């Protein structure tokens, strides 16, 4: 009876079995490709580079490779620093700042000139909120140099002439300054560029995944060996270092940069003076924002735009982030949080002190 039944429906049964078989192959195939069961034991290296803390968490199946990868990243960071530092006197940027002649052309290598052009493009797009020539003002405030003080209004007035991007002209391979004592600065983009270069280097290694943080910029690379996304914590701008107020889920390959008024600052008469300067006034930005985070495939953009959007404020910053195709998180002093649309399913608050305004 059963045999007769099977014989009658053998084509249908074969089809069902085939569908189930193929279905399970596809399911397990996708699962092994995207979500492997075994994750790799990470190894973390901490140190200093580019004047900031660097932390590298490496996920490599053959852990004996990790030390060489760590060294390779250090070399990559110090090579970059030796080109863009304003403090290392031999760097391309420092020697331009020291040696250029007003109205003459100071030439850069193609690599550095390309970054300078991109910085000036962002300066133009943000109507000067992002300024690659902010250095004389940063030095006047002394917040990064341990000599912080509130300058006299006359000093700010005088220095603003030397930070005006209209007093700079770019040529194909160099720049011309039209004022004495001007300077080029990579302070707002260097750590993001570092993440871009480290990502390129990691691609040459056997590392499956890594989280590399260079100051306020974090590179999420590959995965932990399990095919899952990364959960990157964002520093709580009003809590001790290491405490996060939110988490963003990101795919490997992205860079997450945060600019905040808590990074470098001093207080006088109950007012906070921090290191992000409004080029329009010469004073630290005072627009109600305390932190801005930008997520992008480009480390350069994520770093440049975290600073730019901080200066622009929430409303203009959100518009600019959307125009540039990056995702962003804005945090105000009254602990309100605004996020771009693309983050709505990827952003999770972790602290009850903060309120998400645009869910
Ligand atoms: P970040 O931490 O990436 O926001 O960068 C802050 C650094 O960028 C400061 O320490 C300055 O060197 C520089 N900076 C400050 N204000 C500006 C600005 N308005 N545009 C560009 N760079 C700035
Ligand atoms: Mg920045």
């Amino acid at each position: 009876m059963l045999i007769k039944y099977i014989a009658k429906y053998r084509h249908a049964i074969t089809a069902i079995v085939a569908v189930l078989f193929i279905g399970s192959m596809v399911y397990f195939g996708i699962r092994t490709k995207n979500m492997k069961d075994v994750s790799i034991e990470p190894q973390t290296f901490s140190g200093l580079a580019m004047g900031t803390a660097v932390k590298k968490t490496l996920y490599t199946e053959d852990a004996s490779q990790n030390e060489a990868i760590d060294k390779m990243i250090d070399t990559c960071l110090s090579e970059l620093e030796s080109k863009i530092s304003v403090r290392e006197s031999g760097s391309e940027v420092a020697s331009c700042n020291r040696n250029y002649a007003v109205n003459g052309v100071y030439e850069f290598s193609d690599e550095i000139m390309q970054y300078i052009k991109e910085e000036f493009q962002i300066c133009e797009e943000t109507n000067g909120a992002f300024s690659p020539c902010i250095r004389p003002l940063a030095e006047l405030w002394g917040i990064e140099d341990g000599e912080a003080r509130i300058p006299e209004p006359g000093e700010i007035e005088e220095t603003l002439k030397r930070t005006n991007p209209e007093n700079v002209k770019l040529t194909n391979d160099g720049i011309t300054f039209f004022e004495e004592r001007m300077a080029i600065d990579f302070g707002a983009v260097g750590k993001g560029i570092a993440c871009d270069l480290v990502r390129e280097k990691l691609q040459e290694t056997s590392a499956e995944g890594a989280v590399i943080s260079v100051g306020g910029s974090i590179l999420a690379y590959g995965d932990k060996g399990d095919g899952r996304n990364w959960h990157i914590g964002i520093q709580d701008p009003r809590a001790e270092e290491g405490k996060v107020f939110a988490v963003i889920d990101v795919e490997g390959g992205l860079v997450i940069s945060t600019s905040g008024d808590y990074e470098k600052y001093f207080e006088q008469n109950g007012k906070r003076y921090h290191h992000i300067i409004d080029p329009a006034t010469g004073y630290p930005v005072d627009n109600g924002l305390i932190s801005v985070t930008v997520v992008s495939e480009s480390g350069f953009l994520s770093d440049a735009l975290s600073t730019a959007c901080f200066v622009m404020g929430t409303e203009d910053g959100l518009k600019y982030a959307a125009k540039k195709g990056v995702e962003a998180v804005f945090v105000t002093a009254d602990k309100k949080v605004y996020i771009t649309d693309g983050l709505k399913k990827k952003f999770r608050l972790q602290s009850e002190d903060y309120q998400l305004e645009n869910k």
Side-chain angles (χ1 to χ4, degrees), residues 86-87 119 128-135 138 144 185-192 216-217 257-260 263-264 274-280 285 292 302-304 306-308 310-311:
V86 288
R87 290 186 187 83
E119 280 202 85
F130 178 93
S131 171
C133 16
I134 201 78
R135 184 106 296 262
E144 291 157 68
D185 187 30
F186 273 64
V189 291
K191 283 134 198 136
S217 290
S257 298
T258 301
S259 292
E263 285 170 54
K264 293 173 193 156
H274 59 88
H275 69 309
I276 304 171
I277 312 280
D278 183 347
V285 174
V292 175
S302 84
D303 199 358
S306 67
T307 312
F310 192 104
V311 183

Side-chain angles (χ1 to χ4, degrees), residues 211-233:
V211 177
I212 314 289
S213 65
V214 187
S217 290
I218 303 170
L219 165 69
Y221 173 84
D223 61 65
K224 292 179 187 173
D226 59 4
R228 291 169 209 267
N229 283 344
W230 297 101
H231 309 304
I232 302 292

Side-chain angles (χ1 to χ4, degrees), residues 324-343:
K324 297 295 281 183
V326 301
E327 304 303 337
V329 181
F330 293 71
V331 187
T332 65
D334 50 3
K335 310 237 167 132
K336 292 185 173 149
V337 181
Y338 299 83
I339 56 176
T340 49
D341 289 346
L343 283 186

Side-chain angles (χ1 to χ4, degrees), residues 255-270:
V255 178
I256 304 96
S257 298
T258 301
S259 292
D261 73 346
Y262 57 90
E263 285 170 54
K264 293 173 193 156
Y265 69 94
F266 69 101
E267 278 175 338
Q268 200 163 309
N269 301 329

Side-chain angles (χ1 to χ4, degrees), residues 20-312:
L20 287 176
F21 180 71
I22 293 167
S24 64
M25 291 287 285
V26 169
Y27 172 76
F28 286 112
I30 289 171
R31 205 181 132 69
T32 35
K33 185 167 176 280
N34 292 336
M35 278 196 207
K36 287 169 263 175
D37 287 324
V38 198
S39 60
I40 300 166
E41 194 61 35
Q43 192 173 358
T44 297
F45 300 83
S46 299
L48 287 173
M50 303 184 72
T52 191
V54 175
K55 192 170 157 194
K56 307 154 209 145
T57 303
L58 305 176
Y59 294 80
T60 313
E61 236 160 280
D62 174 6
S64 69
Q65 299 292 315
N66 283 337
E67 277 192 22
I69 297 173
D70 170 50
K71 290 227 162 52
M72 188 198 68
I73 295 173
D74 283 346
T75 307
C76 173
L77 297 179
S78 62
E79 275 174 13
L80 174 64
E81 179 70 342
S82 71
K83 294 175 195 163
I84 65 168
S85 169
V86 288
R87 290 186 187 83
E88 272 188 34
S89 61
S91 83
E92 283 192 46
V93 171
S95 50
C96 162
N97 293 345
R98 205 174 51 247
N99 296 325
Y100 75 89
V102 174
N103 298 326
V105 178
Y106 191 92
E107 290 188 355
F108 287 90
S109 65
D110 290 349
E111 182 194 4
I112 300 303
M113 196 59 213
Q114 186 53 37
Y115 293 136
I116 292 175
K117 286 180 186 164
E118 287 170 29
E119 280 202 85
F120 276 91
Q121 188 194 330
I122 294 186
C123 178
E124 205 177 300
E125 290 171 1
T126 61
N127 294 320
F130 178 93
S131 171
C133 16
I134 201 78
R135 184 106 296 262
L137 273 169
E139 275 170 16
L140 180 68
W141 282 89
I143 296 168
E144 291 157 68
D145 314 317
E147 291 168 13
R149 68 179 178 96
I150 303 175
E152 295 299 326
E155 291 177 288
I156 291 189
E157 194 76 7
E158 187 275 330
T159 312
L160 279 169
K161 274 188 257 160
R162 298 192 280 122
T163 56
N164 185 350
E166 283 176 15
N167 289 330
V168 184
K169 194 178 120 210
L170 298 193
T171 58
N172 245 352
D173 42 16
I175 58 173
T176 301
F177 288 124
F178 300 117
E179 280 283 336
E180 293 283 353
R181 294 184 296 133
M182 292 190 74
I184 286 292
D185 187 30
F186 273 64
V189 291
K191 283 134 198 136
I193 294 173
C195 288
D196 284 335
L197 298 177
V198 167
R199 180 177 43 214
E200 264 176 44
K201 287 281 173 198
L202 282 171
Q203 275 155 5
E204 295 164 15
T205 72
S206 58
E208 289 260 350
V211 177
I212 314 289
S213 65
V214 187
S217 290
I218 303 170
L219 165 69
Y221 173 84
D223 61 65
K224 292 179 187 173
D226 59 4
R228 291 169 209 267
N229 283 344
W230 297 101
H231 309 304
I232 302 292
I234 312 178
Q235 171 67 40
D236 182 331
R238 288 294 178 265
E240 71 277 7
E241 205 183 322
K243 185 168 184 298
V244 304
F245 83 99
V247 167
I248 310 183
D249 298 332
V250 297
E251 288 150 33
L254 297 181
V255 178
I256 304 96
S257 298
T258 301
S259 292
D261 73 346
Y262 57 90
E263 285 170 54
K264 293 173 193 156
Y265 69 94
F266 69 101
E267 278 175 338
Q268 200 163 309
N269 301 329
K271 191 167 164 54
R272 182 183 291 234
Y273 298 91
H274 59 88
H275 69 309
I276 304 171
I277 312 280
D278 183 347
T281 64
Y283 284 80
V285 174
D286 187 12
N287 59 11
L289 281 173
I290 59 174
S291 135
V292 175
T293 297
V294 172
V295 184
S296 168
E297 275 163 30
S298 156
F300 175 92
L301 260 196
S302 84
D303 199 358
L305 265 56
S306 67
T307 312
C309 291
F310 192 104
V311 183
M312 294 170 95

